[in-house]
Amino acid sequence: LGGGVYGLVRLTSPSGPALPGGYDFAFHSYFNGIGANGFFLGRPDAIELEMTFGRYETVVVALQRLRRSISQQIQQAAPGRSGAVSAALVTGNKSGIPEDVTEALRVSGLAHILSISGLHMALVAATVMASLRLGFAFAPDWSARHPVRKYAAAGALAATGFYLFLAGAGVATQRSFVMLAIMLLALTFDRNAVTMRNLALAAIAVMVVAPDEVAGPGFQMSFAATAALIAVYGGWQDWRQRRERRRSDRPQFHAAFFLPIVISRYALGIGITSLIAGLATGLFASYHFGRVVPYGLLANLAAMPVVTILVMPLAVAAIVAMPFGLHVYLFKAMALAVELVIGIAERVAALSPAISTGQMPATALIVFSLSLILLCFPSTRLKLTALPFLAMGAAFWVFEQSPVAILSEDARQFAVIENTGQGARLHVNRDRPNAFTVEQWQAAYAAPMIIKPGKSSLMRCDDTLCRAETGTMLTGYVLTSSEDADMPALEKLCDQFDLLVFAKAPSPQSCPNGTPVVSAQMLARNGAAEIYENEGRPVIAHALPGPR
């Protein structure tokens, strides 16, 4: 770290959304300080660079060296996939995790444990607070005279601050730290930690520091889940207090039933938490990713006790023991617990793949979000006003008009969307389409099947032209530019088709007879385009508003 590499690279600007309403990689890359991405054309060479580091750069390099050292220590103590996942949970470095493990965690609904966010921060804080409170208990005279809970909260805040930088200080980690810091500070000032007011303060703080995060799935899913959990458990506590006030005596359980009751309550709490968080975040998962995990509740119910009781406490203990050289067996034990979580993910993932819901329209998401607000924030029967909005959101989703075709922003990918009783099918223009783009289209349009040009009844292509039946329209996808000698005559193309797409520049930008045209230049300026049909005429909807 602190050196350099030398080699020939191919760099391109980050891509925009693959479709209108899709994830905008260029937008988030800009705010993350990423101007381009790409790859080396051959093996790069390590070189020495003469650089002068200021205080900030010196701290950053030292921190990166510490992260790399800890990651190496973990993988030496526990080689293999469990060690790679353990290193990711401690340092945020996910590069060593095998692809099949990542996919199993994603399909089972456990991928959130790889993203160091609110769960990890809360578990670290809880472990440190519990350990400090236990340590203070060994000095009862001193503890009786001092606010040990505040001291424990301050220690937890310091520990999570260290964990923030150890994990790479990613945007999701920063957001989670801000939320947790506000709650821990509330404890030090004798206020309730988990309240809607603190959640609002955390949201304001995140928006001040990173306003672009509001448009990302992480911010929306995190705050939606937290708001829903605060509302449900706040209502449950109010109901429990009212019930206890009405009862004169509390039922006493035999000592033999104490442990089973505690375990059952813990399991029920995890199940309810997973269900509430899954319902709240499922709305945004359907909008951003176009799919939901059918057995996510089962996976979280089985795996989260392992993560809560074993994985994260062992990680905290190992980091504390590292300066004394006592970390090896703790990391080994952590890796064994992680392997159990991976096994749960693989078993659940084998039950069913993720269910594709198709991309939720933005109008439906807005209405659903309003209904979620009405469900969470009022404390009276005003919550019932959310029901009409839930029905309205479902109606917007069901009756949303579907596009008949889609074009990528580089004009190289073109697909006709055929809706059938068994789901949509994508008729693509290339035998080897861009897998990344097509995967996003499949998720957005719930289209599990891809039809190649030679086998498609809706897309017929030759060397210069593809003829596509989009609804009741005929679309021409022209593969040559206006500078090529074999470019078909423009007048003939305009008379033959209801819509023309020119995939290469330079190209005509309009037809003499008024036939709509989409060119590569238009797509480069305005992003990917969906094609709709309105009374036999094409309607073009681009992903971006165009350059300013």
Side-chain angles (χ1 to χ4, degrees):
L1 289 170
V5 291
Y6 176 83
L8 184 64
V9 298
R10 179 181 179 181
L11 295 177
T12 58
S13 59
S15 63
L19 69 156
Y23 186 83
D24 192 342
F25 298 92
F27 175 85
H28 293 283
S29 296
Y30 173 81
F31 285 100
N32 291 332
I34 299 172
N37 51 47
F39 51 88
F40 280 95
L41 298 173
R43 183 181 179 87
D45 299 318
I47 60 172
E48 294 291 333
L49 295 178
E50 297 205 0
M51 302 177 64
T52 57
F53 287 159
R55 292 182 179 178
Y56 173 77
E57 289 81 6
T58 302
V59 172
V60 169
V61 171
L63 185 60
Q64 293 300 325
R65 287 175 176 163
L66 175 63
R67 294 179 63 212
R68 185 178 64 173
S69 174
I70 293 175
S71 182
Q72 290 173 346
Q73 292 280 350
I74 295 173
Q75 297 193 48
Q76 286 175 4
R81 63 181 192 175
S82 58
V85 175
S86 300
L89 293 176
V90 175
T91 66
N93 180 12
K94 295 180 273 192
S95 59
I97 302 176
E99 180 60 32
D100 60 330
V101 174
T102 303
E103 184 64 20
L105 292 169
R106 184 183 301 118
V107 173
S108 63
L110 293 174
H112 61 89
I113 69 171
L114 294 180
S115 176
I116 297 179
S117 55
L119 168 68
H120 307 76
M121 286 285 180
L123 291 177
V124 169
T127 302
V128 173
M129 284 191 68
S131 301
L132 291 176
R133 294 290 295 272
L134 180 63
F136 293 148
F138 287 101
D141 292 338
W142 183 86
S143 299
R145 298 193 303 271
H146 295 83
V148 293
R149 189 179 75 159
K150 296 183 179 182
Y151 296 162
L157 181 59
T160 52
F162 173 73
Y163 186 38
L164 167 69
F165 293 104
L166 183 63
V171 176
T173 315
Q174 294 177 32
R175 180 180 63 247
S176 304
F177 174 75
V178 169
M179 292 176 62
L180 191 65
I182 289 175
M183 294 178 182
L184 291 174
L185 287 173
L187 284 178
T188 62
F189 288 99
D190 297 318
R191 297 291 186 269
N192 290 329
V194 184
T195 64
M196 287 292 186
R197 182 180 294 106
N198 291 343
L199 182 67
L201 290 173
I204 292 171
V206 171
M207 287 188 284
V208 169
V209 175
D212 59 290
E213 277 297 297
V214 176
F219 178 94
Q220 297 169 12
M221 297 174 74
S222 176
F223 280 92
T226 307
L229 290 171
I230 291 174
V232 170
Y233 283 111
W236 176 74
Q237 287 181 347
D238 291 342
W239 172 82
R240 185 179 178 184
Q241 291 173 358
R242 290 195 300 269
R243 188 187 66 170
E244 289 182 352
R245 284 196 296 267
R246 288 195 298 265
R247 286 207 307 203
S248 57
D249 57 336
R250 297 182 62 183
Q252 299 295 325
F253 297 101
H254 192 273
F257 297 103
F258 178 76
L259 185 60
I261 290 174
V262 170
I263 294 175
S264 62
R265 285 178 176 175
Y266 179 73
L268 181 63
I270 291 179
I272 294 175
T273 299
S274 300
L275 179 62
I276 295 167
L279 290 174
T281 58
L283 300 174
F284 301 95
S286 294
Y287 176 76
H288 289 286
F289 310 116
R291 65 180 186 177
V292 293
V293 180
Y295 291 100
L297 176 61
L298 175 62
N300 281 276
L301 189 61
M304 290 316 298
V306 181
V307 176
T308 304
I309 299 174
L310 294 176
V311 174
M312 294 309 295
L314 285 170
V316 174
I319 294 299
V320 172
M322 279 194 77
F324 309 100
L326 304 175
H327 59 280
V328 175
Y329 289 105
L330 291 171
F331 279 136
K332 287 182 180 291
M334 177 186 177
L336 290 174
V338 168
E339 185 63 35
L340 179 58
V341 174
I342 296 174
I344 293 170
E346 290 176 336
R347 287 180 176 273
V348 174
L351 296 176
S352 172
I355 297 176
S356 180
T357 61
Q359 186 181 36
M360 181 189 300
T363 51
L365 179 68
I366 293 172
V367 176
F368 277 136
S369 300
L370 181 59
S371 66
L372 183 63
I373 291 171
L374 292 173
L375 280 172
C376 293
F377 286 90
S379 57
T380 63
R381 292 184 180 179
L382 284 174
K383 291 178 182 289
L384 297 177
T385 58
L387 297 179
F389 290 97
L390 286 172
M392 192 185 306
F396 281 148
W397 194 354
V398 171
F399 296 107
E400 176 76 8
Q401 183 183 4
S402 299
V404 295
I406 177 72
L407 284 160
S408 65
E409 67 175 2
D410 62 2
R412 300 184 64 193
Q413 316 291 326
F414 175 48
V416 175
I417 306 168
E418 180 190 14
N419 292 303
T420 66
Q422 290 75 35
R425 300 195 295 179
L426 292 180
H427 297 256
V428 296
N429 65 310
R430 302 171 66 187
D431 289 322
R432 297 180 63 185
N434 183 282
F436 182 68
T437 299
V438 171
E439 283 177 3
Q440 294 180 76
W441 289 353
Q442 285 184 280
Y445 305 121
M449 188 177 298
I450 297 175
I451 311 296
K452 301 294 180 63
K455 300 179 181 179
S456 173
S457 60
L458 302 180
M459 180 91 70
R460 294 176 296 278
C461 298
D462 54 33
D463 294 337
T464 61
L465 182 67
C466 287
R467 294 170 174 82
E469 296 180 18
T470 51
T472 61
M473 303 180 301
L474 186 62
T475 297
Y477 179 79
V478 184
L479 302 172
T480 56
S481 72
S482 57
E483 294 181 348
D484 296 334
D486 52 356
M487 170 78 172
L490 178 61
E491 292 77 7
K492 183 178 178 181
L493 290 173
C494 293
D495 291 336
Q496 186 178 357
F497 295 103
D498 300 300
L499 172 67
L500 280 175
V501 178
F502 292 99
K504 290 186 179 180
S507 65
Q509 303 298 297
S510 62
C511 274
N513 65 352
T515 298
V517 169
V518 178
S519 67
Q521 295 98 312
M522 296 176 186
L523 293 169
R525 287 195 302 266
N526 303 321
E530 287 178 333
I531 301 171
Y532 293 84
E533 181 184 355
N534 183 18
E535 297 180 355
R537 297 286 296 172
V539 177
I540 313 300
H542 286 278
L544 302 174
R548 301 291 179 88

